[in-house]
Amino acid sequence: MNTNTYKKDFSNIGIRMLISTAAIILLQIGAQTFALTLFPEWQDNFNILFAVTMVPLYVLGFPISFALMRNKDVPIIEKHHMSAGQLVVAFLITYGLMITGNLIGLSLTAGISLIKGSPVQNALLNVITGGSIWVTAIFTVLCAPVFEEILFRKLVCDKVIKYGEGCAVMLSGLIFGLFHMNFNQFFYAFFLGSFFAFVYVKTGNLKYTILLHMVINFFGSVLGGVLLQLDKTKPSTAIISAVYSLCVFGMAIAGIVILIVKRRTMTLKPGEIVIEKGQRFKTVILNAGMALYCLVFLGIMVVQAFFS
């Protein structure tokens, strides 16, 4: 096999992910348009509108993606058990990466807001403050982690693990980050996706990444949403928010410190196929499929940031 063969392999992944994401978007737009045509009054009900958008994603969208990305004759990743202590450490690292990525995203969008003279829309903030916490929890804590981990960790990593764990980790994180289609979420989604991929390739077990993903989404979307919806005129709200902020940054700092301390032990094994140094970025990203995937989603992110 040569470099052109490897490029075709990664290009195939990019094209399939682009097709599956396009199908997801069209399904969501179609479902929302159809529902609002029949029931125009739903336009003012955030919970119903959110559900109408999300249900097609999980009932049809992700299954289509699974079918397109289905793996044949992939290497079996050796399974390893994680102890409760290791899971706690993994959670703290995950939390630290999420907060770090979130701060980068907020800083970037704040700069864009200054340039264009109006705030950049934060899709996640709109979701967690716009409707019922219970509706948000169903889709972000129960559904999203399961479906997203199957697609972005298992199916993507299984396809490219033959090129090495490092390749699987970085590609999974990049595809996952771009899939969110906005700068607010890209950086922490990239960091989290990469770390979840690291956990998956080291354990061969998706249940750990699903659990970590669920807990992170609970803290970010549900618990954070509850705090944002509290009555800010009450003195108790300020106290609760202050305690929560201390806990958040305390866990985040602990996670980053642990990551720095453990970074030398977090080694990534080469695969059965080794791409030569100096050719890796060109082979993995600069191919027709992956380049198109990256350009399309970067374009969507720029439009969302500057023109919405």
Side-chain angles (χ1 to χ4, degrees), residues 182-217:
N182 63 80
F183 286 116
N184 289 101
Q185 293 176 278
F186 169 75
F187 294 96
Y188 76 72
F190 169 69
F191 292 160
L192 292 182
S194 299
F195 185 68
F196 290 157
F198 173 80
V199 172
Y200 175 65
V201 300
K202 288 301 183 184
T203 65
N205 204 321
L206 211 61
K207 68 181 180 182
Y208 298 125
T209 66
I210 290 174
L211 177 60
L212 290 169
H213 201 151
M214 283 181 168
V215 175
I216 282 295
N217 280 12

Side-chain angles (χ1 to χ4, degrees), residues 2-298:
N2 54 38
T3 303
N4 288 331
T5 303
Y6 305 153
K7 280 188 174 182
K8 287 180 182 179
D9 209 1
F10 290 105
S11 181
N12 181 267
I13 293 171
I15 292 295
R16 287 171 184 265
M17 283 301 308
L18 194 58
I19 293 171
S20 64
T21 309
I24 285 171
I25 293 171
L26 289 174
L27 280 167
Q28 290 183 305
I29 293 173
Q32 189 177 106
T33 302
F34 180 73
L36 291 179
T37 300
L38 293 178
F39 307 99
E41 65 274 14
W42 285 1
Q43 179 68 55
D44 300 320
N45 190 316
F46 182 88
N47 292 321
I48 293 178
L49 202 59
F50 184 52
V52 165
T53 305
M54 289 295 105
V55 169
L57 173 66
Y58 297 113
V59 174
L60 291 173
F62 270 108
I64 290 172
S65 299
F66 297 161
L68 285 169
M69 292 294 290
R70 186 173 56 187
N71 298 304
K72 295 179 181 179
D73 301 322
V74 296
I76 296 175
I77 299 176
E78 188 177 349
K79 293 188 180 296
H80 295 280
H81 174 72
M82 286 185 75
S83 66
Q86 288 173 322
L87 276 171
V88 170
V89 168
F91 165 71
L92 290 174
I93 291 174
T94 301
Y95 206 85
L97 290 172
M98 181 186 72
I99 296 299
T100 301
N102 192 40
L103 290 174
I104 294 172
L106 290 174
S107 299
L108 177 60
T109 52
I112 294 173
S113 297
L114 287 174
I115 293 171
K116 73 171 192 171
S118 60
V120 175
Q121 292 293 317
N122 188 329
L124 180 61
L125 187 61
N126 293 338
V127 168
I128 64 179
T129 60
S132 167
I133 291 298
W134 295 108
V135 174
T136 301
I138 289 170
F139 292 112
T140 63
V141 179
L142 298 180
C143 296
V146 175
F147 286 84
E148 289 177 0
E149 290 307 306
I150 292 172
L151 177 60
F152 296 103
R153 247 57 69 192
K154 180 166 179 56
L155 294 180
V156 171
C157 289
D158 284 359
K159 270 187 175 294
V160 299
I161 192 69
K162 63 186 177 184
Y163 294 101
E165 293 177 348
C167 181
V169 166
M170 294 306 295
L171 194 66
S172 174
L174 178 63
I175 292 174
F176 185 58
L178 290 172
F179 179 79
H180 285 74
M181 291 183 279
N182 63 80
F183 286 116
N184 289 101
Q185 293 176 278
F186 169 75
F187 294 96
Y188 76 72
F190 169 69
F191 292 160
L192 292 182
S194 299
F195 185 68
F196 290 157
F198 173 80
V199 172
Y200 175 65
V201 300
K202 288 301 183 184
T203 65
N205 204 321
L206 211 61
K207 68 181 180 182
Y208 298 125
T209 66
I210 290 174
L211 177 60
L212 290 169
H213 201 151
M214 283 181 168
V215 175
I216 282 295
N217 280 12
F218 172 78
F219 272 87
S221 300
V222 177
L223 191 55
V226 169
L227 291 172
L228 287 171
Q229 293 182 21
L230 289 176
D231 185 352
K232 293 181 174 54
T233 62
K234 294 182 178 180
S236 59
T237 299
I239 296 172
I240 293 171
S241 297
V243 172
Y244 176 75
S245 297
L246 285 172
C247 291
V248 163
F249 286 102
M251 289 191 296
I253 291 169
I256 295 301
V257 169
I258 292 171
L259 180 61
I260 292 171
V261 170
K262 288 185 170 290
R263 72 187 187 283
R264 295 189 184 279
T265 64
M266 298 170 67
T267 56
L268 294 165
K269 296 178 182 178
E272 60 185 65
I273 299 174
V274 178
I275 303 172
E276 294 180 9
K277 287 185 178 180
Q279 296 294 318
R280 292 171 185 171
F281 181 77
K282 188 186 300 184
T283 302
V284 177
I285 304 298
L286 296 184
N287 55 71
M290 279 306 305
L292 184 61
Y293 180 87
C294 293
L295 287 173
V296 167
F297 283 94
L298 280 172

